[in-house]
Every structure is written in structure tokens, then in C-alpha cells.
Amino acid sequence: MHELAITQSMLDLVLEEAKKAGAERVGKINLVIGEMSGIVDQCVEFYFEFLSKDTIAKEAILSFKKIPTQARCRNCGELFIPKEFDWSCPNCQNSQMEIVAGNELYIESLEVE
Ligand SMILES: [Zn+2]
């Protein structure tokens, strides 16, 4: 049900922006989703179709841009993409790190008519 709430707030935002732009129809929605956000594209598409059916966004195409998870080592500053079961730094083997990318979830742009 995670995606339902997210899709609803995304749609609200899209409709608000479209209204501001004086649009009659939303053509395309470009979304940025980090790998770590746990969002499933198909779920968002499914809910979007359901939620938008009586709105000007009902024919909108959803485009998903995926951002891979990226971490930075707190010890040596190395930037790397962590493996699923190995979250240690490939440079110094330290396991203290911060996530610098992968939690993204936002609308990058909107195409309206
Ligand atoms: Zn390191």
C-alpha cells in the first residue's frame, strides 16, 4: 500500500502544476526513483491509472528514471556502489558509510498541453 499513498501525492502535485500552467492535458510525467526507495514501477503505474481516471492526467505516460544506490566511505571518502550483502568499502574495507544516492523520489519534469 506504500505506492498508493505515494502515487496519490504525486498525482496531486501533477494536477496542481498542470492547473498552474493552464494545461488541458498532462502528456508525460518524468519521475526519478532511487533503487533504495523500494518503489515498484508497476505498482505506481497501476495506482496511477486507477487514481487519475477522472482527471486531466488520465492519459499521461509515466517515465521512470532509476538512480542506483551509492555510498561514501566515512573513513577514506571513497564513492562506491554497495553490493547487496557486502557493504564494506572496496578501498579500505571500512563498514562505516553514508548513503549519498538511492533514496530519491521526485517528479523531475512534467509535459503538459
Ligand atoms: Zn574506505
Side-chain angles (χ1 to χ4, degrees):
M1 290 307 278
H2 189 47
E3 280 88 353
L4 178 59
I6 287 166
T7 308
Q8 181 67 67
S9 48
M10 178 189 89
L11 178 63
D12 290 347
L13 196 67
V14 164
L15 294 175
E16 198 184 304
E17 289 299 316
K19 197 176 164 189
K20 263 191 241 169
E24 288 173 10
R25 190 172 94 75
V26 179
K28 194 176 174 194
I29 303 163
N30 295 308
L31 297 164
V32 175
I33 294 177
E35 258 178 19
M36 279 188 70
S37 67
I39 304 297
V40 180
D41 304 6
Q42 288 86 348
C43 289
V44 174
E45 276 173 344
F46 174 81
Y47 289 129
F48 187 85
E49 204 180 311
F50 170 72
L51 294 167
S52 69
K53 64 178 189 292
D54 296 319
T55 74
I56 61 165
K58 65 173 184 286
E59 285 164 358
I61 293 162
L62 300 181
S63 161
F64 297 89
K65 189 203 262 180
K66 288 294 175 72
I67 306 288
T69 304
Q70 199 178 40
R72 182 189 285 121
C73 175
R74 287 191 196 276
N75 184 44
C76 72
E78 175 92 352
L79 272 176
F80 61 99
I81 295 172
K83 296 186 196 78
E84 199 169 352
F85 297 110
D86 178 14
W87 281 63
S88 57
C89 172
N91 188 42
C92 70
Q93 275 73 52
N94 189 306
S95 58
Q96 297 289 312
M97 67 194 67
E98 57 179 324
I99 302 300
V100 292
N103 280 318
E104 294 80 357
L105 176 60
Y106 59 89
I107 299 168
E108 186 179 52
S109 61
L110 203 58
E111 291 170 25
V112 296
E113 287 167 26

